[in-house]
Amino acid sequence: MKAYLQMLSNGNSLSREEMRRAVTEMFVPETSDSEIASFLTALKIKGESVEEMASLVEVLREKALPMSSRLTNVMDNCGTGGDGSQSFNISTTSAFVLAGAGVKMAKHGNRSVSSKTGSADVLEKLGVGLDFGQQEVEELIEDNGIAFLFAPHIHAGMKKVMKVRRDLKIPTIFNLIGPLTNPVKLETQLVGVYRRDMLEKMANVLHELGTKRAIVLNGAGYMDEASLAGENHLVLLDKGNITAFTLTGEEVGLPHYENSEIRGGDAEENAKILLEVLKGKNGPHLDTVLFNTGIALFANGKVTTIAEGVKLARETIESGEAYKRLEQLVLYSKNKQKQVI
């Protein structure tokens, strides 16, 4: 670890193999908290390279709860968080719409980090389990179109590093790569990031990791979700080609709303908003979910334009298919709990 710290302190990036060895060292009991903290801080000061980020993700995936290789054509729409917008759980709500539209979803998420309510907090309030194993994830994705992967359960070996991150109290490489550490092999992905300057770099990391098609976005007001408040910045990765573009809600037939109109609250309030959206209640929450789902459907390749994606998202909610995906996930969780008791 000392040698890698010296390299980073001198402003030199680590190769894929050097980063792999350094990250592996972080999980060795003999490595001290101060060494881990120094390593993460040095990486941040130097600036994380594509190779360093990709290598870290690979190691974390390998150390995660194993997932079946039988799952194919699976997507995730997890964001980094950290935008400070206090918005309701947009990507979590959108995940059920995506599943209802026929996209297989492995929804990766955590409890609240920078917002009042994380995906795990709101889903737990709705009755969704947080401890699904490999076979259960596979069953849920194949039969219901969506499973929830709770990050601390999936990445149980991260406790030591998590403690260091909490003690540091500054954003590190882990704040960027969280959405990429889903252990299910994803072919497509929508990734929201709180840093606009990282869009192309994140797309390159996804390419390095073998993702076929993805959109990385930073919303109006620097949200890590697409926003109807103005211009959103997006990067499309498609078979190794990277294309940057901007998009507003008006361009796909959606009205303008300020970001203040989509603020959420505690888990109970956000659960209420999620249910209202899936049941089709009109307003800024629904339209924001339509926008984000439309973009995700385009990223997945389910539709050929984002406008088509918005239309399909609306039809999916109106048909009740999105709400049905949540109902089935809650029912599965309740049955699992009964078996434990």
Side-chain angles (χ1 to χ4, degrees):
M1 184 64 81
K2 185 178 179 181
Y4 302 129
L5 280 170
Q6 189 63 54
M7 291 176 67
L8 294 173
S9 298
N10 291 335
N12 298 317
S13 293
L14 305 182
S15 68
R16 288 283 285 268
E17 188 52 40
E18 288 168 338
M19 185 65 176
R20 169 176 282 276
R21 290 198 295 265
V23 174
T24 303
E25 283 289 316
M26 291 170 61
F27 292 90
V28 174
E30 291 75 22
T31 303
S32 68
D33 288 0
S34 61
E35 285 178 306
I36 296 172
S38 298
F39 180 74
L40 295 177
T41 304
L43 264 178
K44 179 180 176 64
I45 292 170
K46 176 191 70 67
E48 303 89 345
S49 71
V50 169
E51 290 76 16
E52 288 165 344
M53 292 171 71
S55 190
L56 173 58
V57 171
E58 285 174 341
V59 174
L60 294 182
R61 286 179 179 178
E62 289 167 8
K63 291 184 175 295
L65 186 72
M67 286 294 156
S68 174
S69 58
R70 289 176 51 195
L71 292 169
T72 58
N73 196 24
V74 183
M75 184 180 194
D76 190 10
N77 66 334
C78 181
T80 59
D83 61 12
S85 67
Q86 306 296 318
S87 61
F88 75 102
N89 300 91
I90 298 168
S91 63
T92 307
T93 312
S94 299
F96 290 104
V97 188
L98 286 161
V103 178
K104 294 179 184 177
M105 295 296 298
K107 182 70 182 85
H108 195 228
N110 207 338
R111 293 198 184 277
S112 170
V113 177
S114 58
S115 61
K116 290 182 181 178
T117 310
S119 55
D121 301 305
V122 72
L123 289 176
E124 188 176 47
K125 178 63 69 172
L126 290 164
V128 175
L130 304 182
D131 59 347
F132 298 124
Q134 175 187 324
Q135 185 177 341
E136 292 163 329
V137 167
E138 184 176 330
E139 285 178 0
L140 282 164
I141 291 175
E142 293 292 356
D143 299 340
N144 190 45
I146 184 169
F148 181 65
L149 285 73
F150 182 42
H153 175 66
I154 298 297
H155 304 284
M158 286 285 294
K159 291 177 182 176
K160 183 178 180 181
V161 177
M162 285 298 296
K163 178 184 178 300
V164 173
R165 289 180 62 198
R166 284 194 297 268
D167 292 344
L168 270 176
K169 294 183 174 63
I170 59 170
T172 68
I173 188 171
F174 283 96
N175 294 80
L176 293 168
I177 56 87
L180 312 184
T181 60
N182 193 323
V184 174
K185 185 171 176 56
L186 306 173
E187 293 187 20
T188 58
Q189 198 160 354
L190 175 66
V191 181
V193 297
Y194 68 96
R195 282 178 53 184
R196 192 165 292 175
D197 63 313
M198 293 295 292
L199 290 175
E200 191 165 325
K201 183 176 279 190
M202 290 287 280
N204 276 301
V205 174
L206 285 163
H207 176 56
E208 285 285 319
L209 293 168
T211 306
K212 293 180 180 179
R213 186 176 165 94
I215 284 181
V216 186
L217 67 83
N218 177 262
Y222 293 90
M223 287 184 64
D224 74 328
E225 312 272 7
S227 163
L228 294 170
E231 191 174 70
N232 299 270
H233 292 251
L234 304 90
V235 169
L236 170 67
L237 166 68
D238 187 19
K239 298 174 184 174
N241 298 311
I242 293 174
T243 308
F245 64 103
T246 58
L247 182 71
T248 65
E250 289 91 336
E251 291 177 70
V252 292
L254 292 169
H256 178 99
Y257 294 103
E258 294 302 320
N259 286 340
S260 59
E261 297 180 77
I262 56 169
R263 285 193 185 129
D266 60 16
E268 187 170 351
E269 183 177 347
N270 281 13
K272 179 173 177 287
I273 293 170
L274 185 151
L275 289 171
E276 288 175 344
V277 170
L278 295 188
K279 290 180 179 180
K281 182 180 178 181
N282 289 317
H285 299 122
L286 174 64
D287 288 336
T288 300
V289 167
L290 294 177
F291 194 29
N292 280 271
T293 306
I295 294 169
L297 286 166
F298 177 67
N300 176 260
K302 185 82 173 176
V303 295
T304 56
T305 68
I306 293 171
E308 285 178 31
V310 171
K311 182 174 180 289
L312 177 56
R314 193 184 297 277
E315 291 170 355
T316 302
I317 290 174
E318 289 176 351
S319 70
E321 284 300 315
Y323 183 66
K324 191 183 295 182
R325 302 282 74 78
L326 171 62
E327 278 187 315
Q328 291 301 313
L329 188 56
V330 171
L331 180 62
Y332 190 99
S333 301
K334 286 180 178 176
N335 289 337
K336 172 183 166 69
Q337 187 61 32
K338 286 178 184 177
Q339 290 169 8
V340 172
I341 295 171

